[in-house]
Every structure is written in C-alpha cells, then in structure tokens.
Amino acid sequence: MLTLSTQLNTYLVIGAVLFGFGIFGLVRRPSLIGMLIAVELVLSGASINFMAFNRFLAPDPTVGQIITLFIMAIAAAEAAISLSIVIAVYRNYKSIEVEDLVELKG
Amino acid sequence: METKVIFYILAAAIFGASVLAVSCRQAVHAALYFIVSLLGLAGLFFLLGAPLLAALEVILYAGAIMMLLLFVIMMLHTDRRDRELYRPPFWTVPVLLSLLCGAALVMLLARWPQAAELLPSAFFSPGQFGQVLFSRYWLAVELVSLLLFVALVGALYFGGREIKAARLQPGEGGDS
C-alpha cells in the first residue's frame, strides 16, 4: 500500500479519474464557464497520463514532458478562443446558460 | 518515505478539489477549486521529475489562464439561476455505473505486472529541457506559436466585431 507512489498504475488511475470528473462536469454543468472548467480538467488528466508514461516507460524521457508543455499551450489557446466566444454569446443572448442557447435547435 | 506522504497529500488534494470544481454551484468557487487542483497537479509534476513543467503549470495555467477565466466570470453575471445542479434520482445510477467501471479499471491496472520502478534518467533540469525543446522540437514550437497567434486573432475577431456593430448602432447594446 505504501508503494503506490512508485507505480505507474496509480498515476494512470489519477489521470482517468480526472478525465471522468471532467466528462461528468461537461455533461452536467448548466453554464458555458463550468463546461470550460470541465474541459480543462480533461486536459489535466491527459497531461498526467503523458507525464506518468514519460516517467515510467519511455525510452526517451523528453517526449512526455514536451507534449505536456504543448498541452498547456493548446489549453491557453482554447481558453482564449472559448472565452471570447462566451463573451460574444453573452452579448447576444444576455445569458451563458446552455439551456438558453437553443437557436440552432441543438 | 517523505515523498510518499507528499504524494498521498497531493493526490487527495487533487481529487477533492476536482470533485468540488465540477460540483460547486457557483462558477467562481468552481474556478478557485480548479486552481487548487492545478496547484496539486504542479506538485505531482515536480514529484515526477519535471520542475520546469511544475513551475509553468503554476505560472501559465493557474496564473494566466485561470485568471483570465476568473475575470470573465466576474465580468458576466452568471449566477442568475439558482437551481439544483445534481438531483438525486438522476445521478444515482450513473454514479453507481461509473464506480463499477472505476473499480474494474483499478483491478485491471493492479494486475499489470510491468512498470513498477522509476526510470533513473527521467529527471530533467530546466536547462536540459529548454535545450531539447528548442533543438529537437523547434518545428513544434513554431507550430504552437502559430496556433497561439491564430487564437489571438480569433479572440480579437470575436471581440472586435461586436464593438464595430455597437458603434454603428449607438442606441443599442451600449451596456455590454
């Protein structure tokens, strides 16, 4: 039980649980901001997976860390774009609740 | 031994903060709990041998991205509808099913025989990291910078179009 921190499986479980929390929030959140936070949780789970595989299994130990860095950059771009979309939606609808955005009949 | 204790504390903090980040009703509280989760994640990265990534996680992710998100949350009044997020008859069955899947995943991974020891060479100092990043992965760095530029242009497009429309019709939409 005390050797959990030196096993790959533990980190994979942490990443999977973060991914699951993210998907859960993505489904259940009523507002666009909450869904954005849930997407960031999904990205965190993915980066934990990359870091763990990099630490335990990779023959070239640089790749996982660099991919994690790029995940961070992509998350920055995604947050900027989606926050500007949220602001544009709020200007048009005066709301960012998902249930109010039904003009496309989705 | 101390590393293990730190690992358990970090894992518990990440779990608790993530649960609260997806279940908190107010968006500001959810964002703050997600920042706590990111700080725990940065500690985990440090334990996994990436001090530069841990620092970047705090500076970039928790510092820049989440502050942007908090600014937007505070700018828009989002907590208008005060309703129940999780009604019990809806989420009992999904939670039970996902607990089942999680238990199966843990059992499956616990039976996996390999990968029980750390690789010795996996620690990276920031200097080595930067050298590898800018020598071997320069093309990816350029592509990411292009992506960030495109994101900047897209954000300006979404913001500036509304400003132009508001200027054409000065009577309407001046409050946003």
Side-chain angles (χ1 to χ4, degrees):
Chain A
M1 193 64 190
L2 273 179
T3 61
L4 274 182
S5 64
T6 57
Q7 283 181 351
L8 174 62
N9 307 335
T10 317
Y11 295 96
L12 293 186
V13 168
I14 290 176
V17 167
L18 276 187
F19 181 83
F21 286 160
I23 294 294
F24 180 70
L26 198 60
V27 173
R28 284 301 294 161
R29 272 288 182 183
S31 73
L32 290 177
I33 296 279
M35 290 170 74
L36 186 58
I37 293 175
V39 169
E40 306 278 342
L41 265 180
V42 171
L43 288 175
S44 302
S47 56
I48 280 190
N49 264 6
F50 274 113
M51 287 296 296
F53 277 122
N54 169 53
R55 182 76 162 123
F56 290 97
L57 284 183
D60 178 13
T62 63
V63 186
Q65 296 192 13
I66 286 177
I67 287 179
T68 307
L69 184 67
F70 288 152
I71 285 178
M72 251 183 261
I74 288 171
E78 171 247 342
I81 287 284
S82 50
L83 282 176
S84 63
I85 289 177
V86 165
I87 290 178
V89 163
Y90 184 76
R91 277 176 179 156
N92 285 327
Y93 290 87
K94 299 296 172 206
S95 163
I96 56 166
E97 308 276 324
V98 178
E99 289 181 354
D100 293 336
L101 312 176
V102 291
E103 198 163 277
L104 290 180
K105 310 288 186 234
Chain B
M1 191 61 200
E2 292 166 354
T3 318
K4 288 170 189 170
V5 175
I6 292 173
F7 170 77
Y8 287 123
I9 293 173
L10 284 178
I14 289 173
F15 278 175
S18 308
V19 167
L20 286 169
V22 295
S23 67
C24 234
R25 200 177 299 162
Q26 292 199 359
V28 179
H29 294 177
L32 289 178
Y33 282 125
F34 182 62
I35 288 176
V36 173
S37 167
L38 283 179
L39 294 182
L41 207 64
L44 207 60
F45 283 177
F46 193 84
L47 285 188
L48 282 172
L52 182 65
L53 273 183
L56 282 180
E57 183 93 5
V58 175
I59 296 169
L60 269 183
Y61 226 130
I65 301 177
M66 294 312 290
M67 280 310 123
L68 188 67
L69 195 74
L70 275 178
F71 275 136
V72 172
I73 291 172
M74 286 189 271
M75 196 169 71
L76 315 174
H77 290 282
T78 62
D79 300 324
R80 194 190 52 177
R81 198 173 293 175
D82 198 17
R83 60 171 191 167
E84 290 278 328
L85 249 186
Y86 306 106
R87 288 180 289 266
F90 279 150
W91 60 264
T92 41
V93 177
V95 162
L96 284 181
L97 281 179
S98 52
L99 279 182
L100 201 65
C101 289
L105 175 71
V106 169
M107 285 167 59
L108 204 66
L109 283 176
R111 207 165 286 185
W112 198 23
Q114 292 100 9
E117 75 274 7
L118 295 170
L119 288 177
S121 66
F123 181 81
F124 253 148
S125 72
Q128 289 172 309
F129 187 86
Q131 276 183 352
V132 171
L133 178 65
F134 286 109
S135 62
R136 204 188 304 168
Y137 296 96
W138 60 272
L139 183 61
V141 172
E142 293 298 323
L143 286 178
V144 162
S145 69
L146 189 66
L147 174 76
L148 286 174
F149 177 68
V150 169
L152 175 65
V153 172
L156 275 180
Y157 174 71
F158 279 121
R161 191 179 48 176
E162 300 299 323
I163 290 172
K164 201 178 295 175
R167 195 177 295 151
L168 286 179
Q169 302 167 348
E172 301 172 359
D175 55 346
S176 57

